[in-house]
């Protein structure tokens, strides 16, 4: 099923939420590239997401949430003051942060080594879905090794019938994915330089290092 967010948003959100609750995959527009989503607490759905992309468990997907307040239920420790200020300023937005995961969570995102990458996307259509579905595992909507989809057409051409619902939000804002910041170690590190520059992050903590790598939407 495919829905035009300009004219069928309510129907599309309803269908997307139902699909996620059934363990199916959904393609969503975000403030970066298009993402493919699964219920983060449904291990089989997450496995389907990885299979659809041709990706292994060694590359677990980030988790998207609708509201920063949800973060407390997902992470092991509250963010330090500098990070809390950063999140207040930059979320919703193209910043993915890797935390130590709350150990009581009953999910399986892949080989996360006890961590979880979290983002609040700056796209009201996607957050409308997330408010009702809860946290979703979301990776860029593409086959592994291919460029991330910048439209619903591109996503559908690559993922086809492995996805139950496509929300067509028109062309994406660009091809630049989110910046990924890892705060699980003694020194915070940028795993992927994306839409938010290192200089912006240094305004909050000038010890942040650039390590390179990473994947996601």
């Amino acid at each position: 099923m495919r829905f035009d967010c300009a004219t069928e948003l309510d129907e599309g959100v309803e269908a997307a939420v139902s699909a996620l609750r059934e363990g199916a995959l959904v393609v969503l527009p975000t403030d970066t590239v298009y993402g493919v989503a699964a219920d983060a607490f449904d291990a089989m759905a997450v496995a389907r997401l990885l299979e659809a992309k041709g990706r292994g468990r060694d590359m677990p997907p980030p988790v998207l949430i609708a509201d920063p307040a949800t973060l407390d239920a997902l992470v092991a420790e509250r963010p330090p003051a500098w990070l809390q200020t950063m999140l207040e300023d930059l979320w919703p937005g193209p910043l993915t942060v890797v935390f130590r995961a709350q150990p009581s969570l009953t999910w399986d995102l892949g080989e996360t080594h006890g961590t979880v990458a979290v983002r609040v996307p700056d796209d009201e259509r996607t957050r409308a879905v997330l408010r009702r579905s809860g946290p979703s595992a979301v990776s860029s909507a593409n086959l592994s090794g291919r460029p991330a989809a910048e439209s619903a057409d591109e996503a559908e051409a690559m993922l086809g019938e492995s996805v139950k619902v496509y929300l067509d939000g028109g062309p994406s804002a660009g091809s630049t994915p989110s910046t990924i910041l890892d705060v699980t170690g003694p020194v915070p590190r940028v795993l992927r330089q994306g839409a938010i520059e290192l200089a912006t992050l240094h305004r909050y903590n000038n010890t942040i290092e650039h390590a390179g790598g990473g994947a996601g939407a």
Side-chain angles (χ1 to χ4, degrees):
M1 294 184 286
R2 180 161 166 167
F3 298 87
D4 185 338
C5 291
T7 59
E8 304 172 299
L9 182 57
D10 290 345
E11 299 94 325
V13 169
E14 183 71 33
V17 171
S18 295
L20 290 169
R21 289 174 176 170
E22 294 168 2
L25 305 184
V26 173
V27 160
L28 303 162
T30 78
D31 51 336
T32 58
V33 294
Y34 271 72
V36 57
D39 181 348
F41 292 94
D42 185 331
M44 292 184 65
V46 174
R48 289 188 195 100
L49 186 157
L50 295 175
E51 181 180 5
K53 285 177 58 75
R55 176 175 289 183
R57 287 174 51 82
D58 59 326
M59 298 182 71
V63 172
L64 266 56
I65 57 177
D67 190 287
T70 305
L71 182 67
D72 288 346
L74 304 182
V75 301
E77 300 176 347
R78 291 187 62 83
W82 68 267
L83 181 56
Q84 186 63 47
T85 300
M86 177 189 288
L87 298 180
E88 290 172 358
D89 290 350
L90 301 182
W91 273 2
L95 175 66
T96 300
V97 183
V98 182
F99 298 91
R100 288 289 173 193
Q102 170 60 250
S104 64
L105 290 174
T106 56
W107 62 9
D108 182 3
L109 299 171
E111 296 173 10
T112 64
H113 305 288
T115 68
V116 59
V118 185
R119 183 161 96 84
V120 181
D122 191 11
D123 189 292
E124 185 55 36
R125 300 160 300 188
T126 289
R127 291 210 308 277
V129 174
L130 296 171
R131 287 189 190 100
R132 294 179 55 191
S133 68
S136 290
V138 182
S139 185
S140 54
N142 61 288
L143 296 175
S144 187
R146 298 272 298 277
E150 297 180 43
S151 69
D153 285 340
E154 291 181 2
E156 189 169 6
M158 286 185 277
L159 299 176
E161 294 184 0
S162 64
V163 171
K164 183 170 183 177
V165 174
Y166 288 84
L167 296 188
D168 184 353
S172 67
S175 59
T176 305
S178 64
T179 294
I180 300 178
L181 175 65
D182 185 344
V183 298
T184 62
V187 178
R189 300 181 303 152
V190 172
L191 302 183
R192 179 180 69 193
Q193 180 67 67
I196 296 179
E197 297 182 354
L198 184 60
T200 299
L201 302 183
H202 277 166
R203 296 175 191 166
Y204 303 92
N205 187 328
N206 60 15
T207 70
I208 295 173
E209 298 178 348
H210 184 264

